[in-house]
Amino acid sequence: MSLKGIFPIDKWIFRSKSIMESLSAEELERLFADMVEQTYKKGQIIFRENNPAFGIYYIQQGKVKKYKQDRNENEHIIYVANEGELIGYHPLLSGNNYPDSAAALEDSRIAFIPRDAFLSAMEWAPALSKHLLSALSYEYSVLANSLSIVAKHSVRERLAISLIVLREKYKLSENDTSSVAINISRKDLASMTATTEENVVRLLKELKKEGIVGSLGRTIIIYNVKALVQMTNYQ
């Protein structure tokens, strides 16, 4: 089922895919020549908050969580990045360190692009700068929207929003209308929802009784996304 017209999913999705999509085939080939591919196991750290930013990362396969840690080292997931997205590009123009951390949510194949190579590409591919700035600007609006949700919505409503966003990330295609399976730990889902793991387990049990979701091990299966949309009470 498409969310078009019933839920503003774009307010939760970054636009970093547009950065690479702005390049021609020849420009991509030139940039890819400087890429170094690496395989990351589920849970493996890609970069850490406050570490020097030596480059950016292009997700070729898999999913990555971007998160920050509080003083007690509790994770707070701020975004789940998908295949085709770039991560770690915030400090590219400012020269600052990484503002957050990133780790693989599942086994992933990710290419590293050295900072100098990407900055050079911005010179010989003018569209790259335009789309990078656009993506950065839109990302701030997505993060601001996510923060406002924590203040305005109940835990049940926030969980519904998190499941809707994850459903978009785990769909096999844009037109996928079947039940969608989300393979994520209850701990990560709680971090994304800004609540406790106990709350997530309890609420998922309620949603299973209502026939909205199902489960197979830690995999959550979304049966009725329209019911989730109604749960969000999103205006």
Side-chain angles (χ1 to χ4, degrees):
M1 176 182 176
S2 172
L3 294 174
K4 187 174 182 179
I6 64 171
F7 188 79
I9 190 63
D10 286 348
K11 291 188 175 183
W12 275 269
I13 304 295
F14 292 168
R15 292 180 175 173
S16 65
K17 278 188 176 182
S18 68
I19 298 173
M20 302 300 278
E21 290 171 353
S22 69
L23 299 176
S24 67
E26 292 77 15
E27 289 169 336
L28 278 173
E29 184 177 358
R30 183 174 175 181
L31 182 60
F32 285 178
D34 293 306
M35 284 184 174
V36 179
E37 288 188 11
Q38 183 173 342
T39 298
Y40 291 83
K41 295 294 185 181
K42 183 178 69 175
Q44 188 174 350
I45 301 296
I46 300 166
F47 57 77
R48 293 185 185 275
E49 182 177 356
N50 295 324
N51 279 2
F54 296 114
I56 63 178
Y57 297 82
Y58 176 54
I59 304 172
Q60 296 177 305
Q61 183 179 357
K63 293 176 179 59
V64 171
K65 62 179 178 181
K66 284 165 56 69
Y67 64 93
K68 296 181 76 71
Q69 286 185 311
D70 60 25
R71 63 182 62 186
N72 297 317
E73 297 188 351
N74 295 313
E75 288 185 11
H76 301 279
I77 296 177
I78 56 178
Y79 189 68
V80 173
N82 217 356
E83 181 178 324
E85 294 190 70
L86 288 173
I87 57 173
Y89 57 89
H90 297 80
L92 196 67
L93 300 179
S94 63
N96 294 327
N97 295 338
Y98 290 119
D100 48 34
S101 301
L105 265 180
E106 60 189 33
D107 291 352
S108 302
R109 183 165 50 87
I110 301 172
F112 174 75
I113 308 173
R115 184 174 185 273
D116 289 344
F118 198 82
L119 290 177
S120 175
M122 291 173 66
E123 296 180 3
W124 47 257
L128 197 58
S129 297
K130 176 183 176 182
H131 285 267
L132 176 63
L133 291 173
S134 176
L136 283 169
S137 176
Y138 193 80
E139 184 166 330
Y140 284 121
S141 69
V142 170
L143 293 176
N145 181 61
S146 297
L147 288 173
S148 71
I149 292 302
V150 175
K152 296 178 181 178
H153 289 254
S154 69
V155 174
R156 183 179 170 91
E157 291 166 348
R158 296 201 304 270
L159 177 61
I161 291 171
S162 294
L163 291 174
I164 291 168
V165 173
L166 288 170
R167 176 183 178 273
E168 287 297 297
K169 295 291 180 177
Y170 281 83
K171 286 195 310 185
L172 297 179
S173 69
E174 284 296 319
N175 299 318
D176 190 357
T177 58
S178 61
S179 299
V180 177
I182 299 169
N183 189 11
I184 189 170
S185 71
R186 303 302 182 263
K187 181 179 179 180
D188 280 338
L189 183 55
S191 172
M192 187 176 175
T193 307
T195 189
T196 64
E197 189 172 349
E198 290 76 12
N199 276 338
V200 164
V201 170
R202 174 179 57 81
L203 289 169
L204 285 176
K205 286 181 179 178
E206 293 178 7
L207 296 181
K208 285 173 68 175
K209 287 181 180 178
E210 297 169 26
I212 297 173
V213 306
S215 65
L216 183 61
R218 78 172 210 168
T219 300
I220 301 167
I221 305 168
I222 306 297
Y223 293 135
N224 190 344
V225 69
K226 189 173 182 179
L228 287 177
V229 170
Q230 293 171 344
M231 277 177 51
T232 65
N233 195 29
Y234 187 82
Q235 304 295 327

